[in-house]
Amino acid sequence: MRRTAVRLLLAVLVALATCLAGAPAQAAVPDSPAVTYTNPLAEKRADPHIFKHTDGYYYFTATVPEYDRIVLRRATTVQGLRSAPETTIWTRHASGVMGAHIWAPEIHFIDGKWYVYFAAGATNDVWAIRMYVLEGTGANPLTAAWTEKGQIRTQWESFSLDATTFVVNGVRYLAWAQRDPSVNNNTDLYLARMANPWTITGTPVMLSRPTYSWETVGYKVNEGPAVIQRGGKVFMTYSASATDSNYCLGMLTASASANLLSQASWNKSPTPVFASSAATGQYGPGHNSFTVSEDGRSDILVYHDRSYRDISGDPLDDPNRRTRVQKVYWNADGTPNFGIPVADGVTPQRFSSYNFPDRFVRHYDYRARIEANVTKLADSQFRVVPGLAGGGTVSLESANFPGYYLRHDDFEVWLQRNDGSAQLAADATFHRRAGLADPAGVSFESYSHPGRYVRHWEYLLHVQAVSTATDRADATFYAQ
């Protein structure tokens, strides 16, 4: 009796606080609705770059395991790139420079022309890696006329690669990785302004040097810069360590109004922002780029990894890096949250509360609840998969505990492992309905107890009958 009284008192206090705060009875439909893809997107394609153009097409290029050519695909959807035909737009030279190790192409559209940035060695020295640029004329880069604009010259004639370009406040920059001949490491990250799409101007600044332990496993590496901007901030991800299971992403952050050509303007995250996950079977995620969803409302992380940890021989000789994609989420403080490299198959979603829009469904100690500021992103991500009990239903599988599903147990919702029993299958299966409080949302009706829906009560999830407007609001969620 005492516990029931406390629960009722808490419910009254929560309702009173909501009224006093003047909180809206209804949340706005999320700015970034759910978007899902199926991984991997492309087998044996590393260092992927996807560019969404104004012509309605996505253009995809990547390193091929033969290291001998530059290829392009295009499709009107990200998923369509998986089966899109591939065109070779350029092949390595038979001798001399640009004759070996054709790596990490990126495609950009600048001032009415196409540009591909890539790295290459020479036939007489395959490790004399330098950065080069192709220029393409024509509406469709798969059929464009391509010319070589030559090498991007930097402050040194040394190992350099992974050029990328971006614009902040009207200024175009080039970021890249290069070896400082005076330092005993492999590559640092550099930034310079551009005079034109194949020429830098001014003195480059070194933004980041591999110093953390996670940046120096196997090799001392900072490479593969990629930029995403949001909310007046510039975020530069980069790859670190050897290209095996230790490969991971770090991140630099700067204000868009700061002097980007000052190292002091950039803050370096002390831990990786994206790394291998044994739980999902993804290893060595890295060399990423960014694109946007088909509706332009979600940011998409594009990267490569392998489906196994142990590699025989030199990782560069292993051809099985695959291109993968997954949605980028944004923390309340405006920073990107990449979570973990999700399992192969359909990518997961998040579900925000209809009447508490800053709270997301998540598991904590296996109990399901709604909670705000879930920075451990994967705790709040679920794959919507065919229902374990069948019949046109769905089940919600944990992103970071594959094989574990949301199920009701004595009408409380928990995350539990699928033990193969008919009871768990029934309890972990739901009918996906239009949102009871807003048809733009979603509600989940219990398969084994028709008429009962997943709803939050004191922020914990239960399966209960619904009758009032409050019940329907508590049982409505938005997929994000």
Side-chain angles (χ1 to χ4, degrees), residues 60-359:
F60 167 58
T61 187
T63 301
V64 301
E66 297 81 8
Y67 303 149
D68 64 350
R69 64 193 187 276
I70 296 174
V71 297
L72 280 179
R73 304 182 193 185
R74 78 169 185 168
T76 56
T77 64
V78 171
Q79 198 66 53
L81 293 169
R82 187 178 195 178
S83 58
E86 197 166 75
T87 298
T88 297
I89 64 163
W90 183 87
T91 303
R92 71 182 179 188
H93 290 189
S95 62
V97 299
M98 292 185 277
H101 280 169
I102 310 303
W103 289 348
E106 286 198 6
I107 184 167
H108 297 264
F109 190 76
I110 304 170
D111 298 333
K113 293 186 178 181
W114 296 98
Y115 292 91
V116 169
Y117 297 84
F118 67 101
T123 54
N124 62 332
D125 184 355
V126 298
W127 295 109
I129 305 294
R130 302 292 186 270
M131 299 178 293
Y132 299 92
V133 184
L134 303 178
E135 182 183 76
T137 302
N140 180 357
L142 278 70
T143 57
W146 291 95
T147 59
E148 297 173 2
K149 303 302 289 186
Q151 181 182 338
I152 300 176
R153 300 290 177 177
T154 67
Q155 69 273 46
W156 304 298
E157 191 64 34
S158 67
F159 187 94
S160 55
L161 71 171
D162 297 347
T164 191
T165 184
F166 60 96
V167 175
V168 178
N169 294 327
V171 177
R172 181 167 292 281
Y173 296 90
L174 188 82
W176 71 96
Q178 187 162 11
R179 181 179 181 273
D180 181 342
S182 67
V183 178
N184 181 28
N185 69 349
N186 295 98
T187 52
D188 308 319
L189 296 181
Y190 292 88
L191 185 69
R193 290 193 182 199
M194 301 196 80
N196 57 46
W198 59 92
T199 309
I200 65 171
T201 184
T203 303
V205 60
M206 191 269 287
L207 297 185
S208 178
R209 176 160 286 162
T211 55
Y212 289 119
S213 59
W214 53 270
E215 299 177 295
T216 58
V217 182
Y219 296 99
K220 299 175 181 178
V221 168
N222 282 178
E223 66 181 15
V227 168
I228 187 170
Q229 302 180 54
R230 181 182 169 102
K233 295 289 184 67
V234 181
F235 304 97
M236 181 182 291
T237 55
Y238 63 91
S239 300
S241 288
T243 57
D244 54 18
S245 62
N246 296 293
Y247 211 46
C248 60
L249 292 185
M251 188 172 73
L252 307 175
T253 303
S255 169
S257 61
N259 176 12
L260 299 185
L261 292 173
S262 170
Q263 187 187 62
S265 297
W266 297 84
N267 178 63
K268 186 174 185 175
S269 298
T271 56
V273 294
F274 199 58
S276 293
S277 171
T280 60
Q282 309 298 326
Y283 297 94
H287 203 115
N288 77 288
S289 61
F290 296 101
T291 190
V292 295
S293 60
E294 290 77 1
D295 62 7
R297 299 168 69 183
S298 295
D299 296 302
I300 305 299
L301 176 69
V302 185
Y303 64 98
H304 74 236
D305 75 4
R306 293 184 178 88
S307 61
Y308 48 88
R309 184 191 65 189
D310 299 322
I311 299 170
S312 178
D314 189 333
L316 287 175
D317 295 331
D318 183 295
N320 294 318
R321 292 178 290 180
R322 319 90 51 78
T323 294
R324 310 179 85 250
V325 293
Q326 60 191 72
K327 181 172 176 173
V328 177
Y329 291 90
W330 295 88
N331 295 319
D333 65 0
T335 57
N337 195 327
F338 307 116
I340 61 174
V342 297
D344 285 350
V346 66
T347 55
Q349 305 174 37
R350 300 180 87 190
F351 295 95
S352 60
S353 167
Y354 166 85
N355 48 359
F356 291 90
D358 64 334
R359 291 180 175 264

Side-chain angles (χ1 to χ4, degrees), residues 366-380:
Y366 301 103
R367 184 69 167 93
R369 62 189 68 211
I370 59 170
E371 191 171 294
N373 299 320
V374 185
T375 54
K376 191 175 180 183
L377 178 66
D379 282 358
S380 64

Side-chain angles (χ1 to χ4, degrees), residues 15-34:
L16 179 61
T18 299
C19 292
L20 291 174
Q26 172 179 345
V29 176
D31 291 334
S32 180

